Amino acid sequence: MKIAFLGPEASFTSLAAGQVFPTDELIPKYSIRDCFLAVKNGECEKAVVPLENSIEGTVSMTLDYLYDFKGIFIETEIVMPISHQLMVHPQHHDFAKILSHPQALAQCFHFLEENYRGVPRQDYHSTSASAKYISEHPEEKTAAIANHYAAKLYGLKILNENIQDFEQNHTKFIAISLANNHLKLGFEKKSEKTSLLITLPEDHAGGLHQVLSVFAWRKMNLSKIESRTLKKNLGNYFFFINVASEWDPIHSVNAVEELKSIGAEVDFLGHYDEYLLNG
């Protein structure tokens, strides 16, 4: 089975995908969108992409593509501890620029401000890609923020270890596919949840209250509610909602029907388990 992931090799998504699918063929992709496309066009059966970080919050692009790519489901959610290292080409001891994924740069913001204030920071499409870049461009005095495996793979020298601003730094990844599967894994199970995308018919007073009331009177616990703009007009949003615990075949289905009856568009993204991985 082919599994797409946000690459290249040695990205945090690569490490997560390797633990979940150790015997399958892992296919690195340049962007999160490319991962969704690989699943949608049938190139890969599944894909692993980042969803949320404990420091920087939701990966907005992933939410947007869950909305844009209709018919894609979440099979499982996996949580992995994240540790960042600052690394350079072994020919250098200093650097004039820091390169990494914007999430990694944000997760290390205070460390960089205290230790390398004034050194320009540049966004790159993944942490491992930034490590690969500086390994291939020794003429550029550039540092990268990535993981230990990336430093080893690309032959880089680590200057500072564990530079994330908070020790308890975790990222949630999701495995997506065209099949509405409930994937069971052999890791520590943290929770069980259901994800929905809800779009209100129009922006009006009390609209969100109507939606939340559907769940409230049924005593359905919502563990996450997040809005994202539809990128059409100001005030137009869709909502990503997680319903905690089991997906009851009666109450849950009736809740969706009630949401539709008030004019809301509801996309069922799947009922799945959340697991804790090794770092």
Side-chain angles (χ1 to χ4, degrees), residues 35-51:
C35 291
F36 276 82
L37 283 171
V39 170
K40 192 68 174 180
N41 63 26
E43 177 191 347
C44 296
E45 286 83 352
K46 306 179 193 296
V48 178
V49 293
L51 177 66

Side-chain angles (χ1 to χ4, degrees), residues 22 27 33 77 119 128 150 187 210 229 241 274:
I27 310 295
R33 183 175 186 273
E77 184 175 85
V119 178
S128 57
F187 300 99
Q210 280 185 294
T229 176
I241 290 180
E274 177 188 26

Side-chain angles (χ1 to χ4, degrees), residues 141-156:
K141 298 181 70 173
T142 303
I145 295 176
N147 57 54
H148 278 106
Y149 181 48
K152 181 178 179 180
L153 180 66
Y154 298 116
L156 303 178

Side-chain angles (χ1 to χ4, degrees), residues 21-195:
F21 303 105
T23 61
D24 294 297
E25 183 181 0
L26 302 182
I27 310 295
K29 292 297 177 182
Y30 180 81
S31 67
I32 294 174
R33 183 175 186 273
D34 288 341
C35 291
F36 276 82
L37 283 171
V39 170
K40 192 68 174 180
N41 63 26
E43 177 191 347
C44 296
E45 286 83 352
K46 306 179 193 296
V48 178
V49 293
L51 177 66
E52 182 180 346
N53 176 262
S54 58
I55 298 177
E56 282 302 300
T58 300
V59 180
S60 57
M61 283 186 293
T62 299
L63 277 195
D64 288 343
Y65 294 140
L66 284 171
Y67 181 86
D68 293 338
F69 286 82
K70 303 298 184 183
I72 284 183
F73 296 92
I74 301 174
E75 291 194 352
T76 189
E77 184 175 85
I78 42 192
V79 181
M80 189 174 74
I82 300 296
S83 175
H84 292 301
Q85 332 302 325
L86 185 71
M87 58 196 69
V88 295
H89 195 279
Q91 293 181 5
H92 304 304
H93 298 282
D94 57 356
F95 51 89
K97 182 172 64 176
I98 302 171
L99 194 67
S100 195
H101 189 277
Q103 281 265 341
L105 291 170
Q107 291 164 29
C108 304
F109 175 81
H110 294 294
F111 172 86
L112 297 177
E113 282 290 290
E114 291 174 8
N115 296 276
Y116 299 104
R117 189 170 189 177
V119 178
R121 303 161 202 170
Q122 181 178 328
D123 292 351
Y124 214 59
H125 59 91
S126 82
T127 55
S128 57
S130 66
K132 185 173 186 289
Y133 178 87
I134 67 172
S135 74
E136 296 171 344
H137 297 82
E139 74 283 357
E140 297 185 20
K141 298 181 70 173
T142 303
I145 295 176
N147 57 54
H148 278 106
Y149 181 48
K152 181 178 179 180
L153 180 66
Y154 298 116
L156 303 178
K157 178 174 60 178
I158 294 177
L159 296 181
N160 302 101
E161 294 188 286
N162 301 324
I163 65 171
Q164 62 277 2
D165 291 333
F166 299 94
E167 184 178 351
Q168 295 299 319
N169 185 22
H170 292 77
T171 293
K172 291 182 178 181
F173 302 87
I174 52 174
I176 59 172
S177 77
L178 292 175
N180 184 14
N181 291 329
H182 190 151
L183 190 63
K184 296 293 185 179
L185 303 176
F187 300 99
E188 177 189 344
K189 180 177 172 180
K190 291 178 60 67
S191 67
E192 192 172 334
K193 64 184 69 173
T194 302
S195 290

Side-chain angles (χ1 to χ4, degrees), residues 6 173 197:
L6 177 62
F173 302 87
L197 292 178

